[in-house]
Amino acid sequence: MAMTHEIGIDLARVWTTPKPSREDKPLRYLAFGDEVEVEDDTSKAHVRIRTAIPETRPDGSVRVRMGSRFIVPKKGLKPKDVLKPLGHCKVMRVEFVDVQQGDGALLVTPSKKVMLVDGGDNQLFARYLAGRFRRTSLEKPKDIDCILVTHGDADHFAGLREIHDSESHETSWKQLYIRPHRVYHNGLVKRPSKENKKDVPDVRLLGPTEKLDGRDVIVGLESDLLAVPDSEMNLPFRRWKEALATYRQRYGPIEFRRLQKGDDAAFDFLGDGLKVEVLGPIPVTLPDGQTGIPFLGKPRGGPHLGNLKFEGVSASHTINGHSVVLRITYGNVRYLFAADLNQESEMELLRHDADRLEAEVLKTPHHGSADFSTPFIKAVRPVVSVVSSGDESEQKEHIHPRATLVGALGRHSRVDEPIVLITELAAFFEVRGYVGTKWHAMAAGLKKKDFEGAVDLTTKKNERFFAFSRSAFGIVRTRTDGKRLVVYTDSGDVAMKEAYAFDVEPGGIVKHSPVRMA
């Protein structure tokens, strides 16, 4: 497919006919910066394009084929208003994907550099990426310029291993081959939690430590993950290491880098005038010159007011609080990726960089946990807040996002009508009802071949379960050219979108703007 143009307005509907009636529904939407191949633009009323056409199969999966369809500008718009020459708009895309309890985001620069930020702990991020980057193979993998693992909790990176595992999936459109050029992380590698069948103390879970003013400081910070012995990694890290070793063997060197505050130049490869500030983790220096990361403690119970106290050493609070924190600026628009920050680390960021936290888009810390600092939210003053959450089982129930956090995001925004979007609420499901074993709907007379890739969710031969199918993936999509910010989500009804637009001026001045749609 030879792309010739790109969408120059916020959203453009794609129709099956050049003269849609009021009863017709659009096939799909294209958004600001999306590339298309124009087949015929001689009409003043419509443009014929070649585009991806989704087709729902009997098992609920969606396959994509290419075909001719139409963009029909609304009254008052001309085709040239909707479609711009390729490379004209220079749009950066950031998409936050519903990976249930975890984080997974995709950043694509105007010149098509690709960065993954985390990847959840299941197959959902891999499935999304396989649909986004179709027709890859062992010989023609998708180049990934950088994989950033903000920290080593499984819900942020175990799903990246699923990308590697997808290569052997029996369903071709769920396969994805990638070639990662860089892997950045915070340097903390989780050790096995058991030793001789006994629990390992928290102070030993993240590597060797030294004392600094009576405080435990982790000095066993890693850079090249492939150089870390398997014996010093827990299972998710070992599985991730195996995938990375395979990629390196196939495609050559991978640049591994441990990030800390000030490593801004590590992202110069992104280009396009993007400014990346690495605000965390914030290291300390020991008397012998070693660099380390101090252990964080658990907050005392009670209201999060006044002078907070943090007690003991907590491996979980430490690995979360020392997440890699990025502020990415493109033109007038700023994104703050806050990973799994907590109160103690947010307070530390405020002490060091209170004047560098303001952002139009905030990837809200720690899935909307109650472990947050209100002054931190006040410093960010977000216009759009994205919460990546999803409690999908009794074992992973965290009641995210917390009501206090959502309230703080709204109260301390700089606009009168702030936007708070939650990835799990951006997903839509269709009720299927009770189904039987294996191929689910065999009673309807469908053949086994119609259910390619279906999974038997039952464990007993005659067990039934109540089923839902995902009718729309949970994705919060953002597009910006540095002056205009477009945010939207999909719906179970293809004709509906939840969409917002803003004009962003220098100095963080933001104004709501009507969504421009064709």
Side-chain angles (χ1 to χ4, degrees):
M1 212 176 151
M3 302 299 185
T4 61
H5 291 73
E6 58 193 16
I7 302 300
I9 62 171
D10 300 336
L11 292 172
R13 294 170 293 182
V14 177
W15 302 92
T16 58
T17 171
K19 295 182 179 180
S21 68
R22 290 186 177 182
E23 290 72 31
D24 288 335
K25 282 190 174 183
L27 171 76
R28 58 181 297 208
Y29 280 75
L30 294 172
F32 192 29
D34 281 348
E35 297 178 351
V36 297
E37 178 184 359
V38 172
E39 294 183 321
D40 184 6
D41 61 355
T42 57
S43 169
K44 295 181 179 180
H46 67 264
V47 178
R48 190 177 78 227
I49 65 171
R50 183 170 174 79
T51 187
I53 302 172
E55 294 181 338
T56 302
R57 293 163 56 85
D59 67 347
S61 64
V62 177
R63 298 193 73 170
V64 175
R65 67 177 180 85
M66 304 308 296
S68 296
R69 292 296 185 264
F70 301 89
I71 292 178
V72 184
K74 283 185 173 183
K75 186 177 181 180
L77 290 175
K78 298 178 181 179
K80 67 178 182 180
D81 299 321
V82 180
L83 290 157
K84 301 293 184 181
L86 198 64
H88 178 273
C89 298
K90 295 181 171 49
V91 172
M92 182 177 77
R93 314 171 191 198
V94 181
E95 302 191 336
F96 303 91
V97 181
D98 173 29
V99 293
Q100 298 178 331
Q101 178 61 31
D103 272 16
L106 168 70
L107 182 148
V108 182
T109 71
S111 58
K112 303 303 180 288
K113 295 289 179 65
V114 175
M115 182 164 74
L116 310 182
V117 182
D118 294 330
D121 68 353
N122 53 42
Q123 81 281 6
L124 288 174
F125 197 55
R127 293 287 186 273
Y128 158 73
L129 293 174
R132 180 71 171 74
F133 303 116
R134 297 188 294 273
R135 300 182 182 88
T136 60
S137 66
L138 184 64
E139 295 74 24
K140 294 183 178 180
K142 175 63 183 177
D143 284 299
I144 303 297
D145 295 279
C146 183
I147 299 176
L148 170 63
V149 177
T150 60
H151 64 290
D153 272 345
D155 63 329
H156 286 251
F157 79 96
L160 296 169
R161 166 66 193 232
E162 297 286 341
I163 298 174
H164 172 271
D165 292 349
S166 76
E167 297 172 0
S168 59
H169 200 286
E170 60 185 5
T171 308
S172 60
W173 66 87
K174 294 181 180 178
Q175 297 170 359
L176 176 64
Y177 293 82
I178 66 169
R179 179 188 178 187
H181 292 265
R182 300 167 183 82
V183 174
Y184 293 167
H185 56 97
N186 71 349
L188 295 176
V189 173
K190 280 189 173 181
R191 271 54 176 180
S193 60
K194 297 282 186 180
E195 187 177 277
N196 298 323
K197 298 182 179 180
K198 294 183 179 180
D199 291 338
V200 175
D202 275 27
V203 75
R204 291 176 49 206
L205 281 177
L206 301 176
T209 62
E210 299 285 351
K211 290 285 187 180
L212 178 64
D213 298 328
R215 191 176 188 183
D216 292 292
V217 175
I218 303 159
V219 295
L221 303 175
E222 308 291 352
S223 184
D224 184 353
L225 297 177
L226 294 180
V228 182
D230 287 358
S231 60
E232 296 183 16
M233 291 180 154
N234 68 3
L235 180 59
F237 267 100
R238 291 199 302 272
R239 296 192 75 245
W240 176 222
K241 178 185 173 183
E242 290 169 357
L244 292 171
T246 300
Y247 292 137
R248 185 175 69 174
Q249 183 180 21
R250 285 179 185 169
Y251 305 121
I254 299 172
E255 179 189 340
F256 290 95
R257 184 159 181 173
R258 173 180 69 83
L259 295 180
Q260 63 184 32
K261 176 179 166 59
D263 284 340
D264 306 355
F267 294 92
D268 286 350
F269 68 90
L270 289 174
D272 288 314
L274 270 70
K275 177 183 177 182
V276 180
E277 299 163 274
V278 182
L279 304 181
I282 301 172
V284 295
T285 303
L286 280 71
D288 62 1
Q290 287 189 88
T291 296
I293 292 178
F295 257 98
L296 304 181
K298 293 181 179 180
R300 291 179 180 175
H304 303 159
L305 303 171
N307 295 318
L308 295 170
K309 300 292 184 180
F310 303 92
E311 300 174 329
V313 293
S314 168
S316 63
H317 282 77
T318 298
I319 203 164
N320 284 334
H322 290 301
S323 296
V324 176
V325 180
L326 300 184
R327 187 171 74 160
I328 300 177
T329 302
Y330 180 46
N332 302 331
V333 179
R334 298 161 294 182
Y335 288 72
L336 184 66
F337 290 84
D340 272 8
L341 294 177
N342 47 39
Q343 293 175 78
E344 189 171 3
S345 57
E346 289 171 9
M347 291 165 62
E348 189 69 11
L349 273 172
L350 284 166
R351 282 193 285 270
H352 285 82
D353 283 309
D355 60 343
R356 292 206 293 166
L357 294 175
E358 187 174 272
E360 283 64 54
V361 182
L362 169 66
K363 201 299 296 180
T364 304
H366 206 179
H367 323 296
S369 163
D371 190 3
F372 72 92
S373 163
T374 298
F376 174 82
I377 303 298
K378 288 181 178 180
V380 179
R381 300 201 309 146
V383 175
V384 176
S385 299
V386 180
V387 181
S388 183
S389 68
D391 295 316
E392 73 271 20
S393 70
E394 183 178 313
Q395 291 74 29
K396 288 189 175 182
E397 180 60 61
H398 300 287
I399 321 178
H400 290 162
R402 293 298 177 97
T404 51
L405 182 279
V406 175
L409 293 172
R411 181 179 183 186
H412 301 300
S413 173
R414 83 192 76 153
V415 295
D416 292 337
E417 294 184 359
I419 309 301
V420 180
L421 292 166
I422 301 164
T423 55
E424 63 181 303
L425 297 184
F428 283 78
F429 296 86
E430 182 179 350
V431 175
R432 291 294 188 181
Y434 281 102
V435 297
T437 58
K438 199 62 178 175
W439 303 108
H440 301 180
M442 292 293 284
L446 297 170
K447 307 288 187 182
K448 182 174 178 177
K449 66 180 178 62
D450 294 324
F451 290 88
E452 180 185 357
V455 177
D456 180 6
L457 300 177
T458 63
T459 56
K460 297 179 182 178
K461 185 176 181 180
N462 297 316
E463 185 177 341
R464 297 193 311 157
F465 59 92
F466 195 85
F468 297 82
S469 63
R470 187 184 290 260
S471 58
F473 217 112
I475 306 175
V476 176
R477 306 179 190 269
T478 73
R479 308 288 175 92
T480 183
D481 62 356
K483 296 179 180 179
R484 188 167 181 82
L485 174 63
V486 181
V487 184
Y488 70 100
T489 64
D490 300 317
S491 167
D493 183 342
V494 70
M496 297 179 66
K497 299 286 182 190
E498 183 175 13
Y500 305 94
F502 304 88
D503 292 321
V504 185
E505 300 176 8
I509 300 172
V510 178
K511 297 178 181 178
H512 276 278
S513 174
V515 175
R516 301 180 302 201
M517 185 179 297

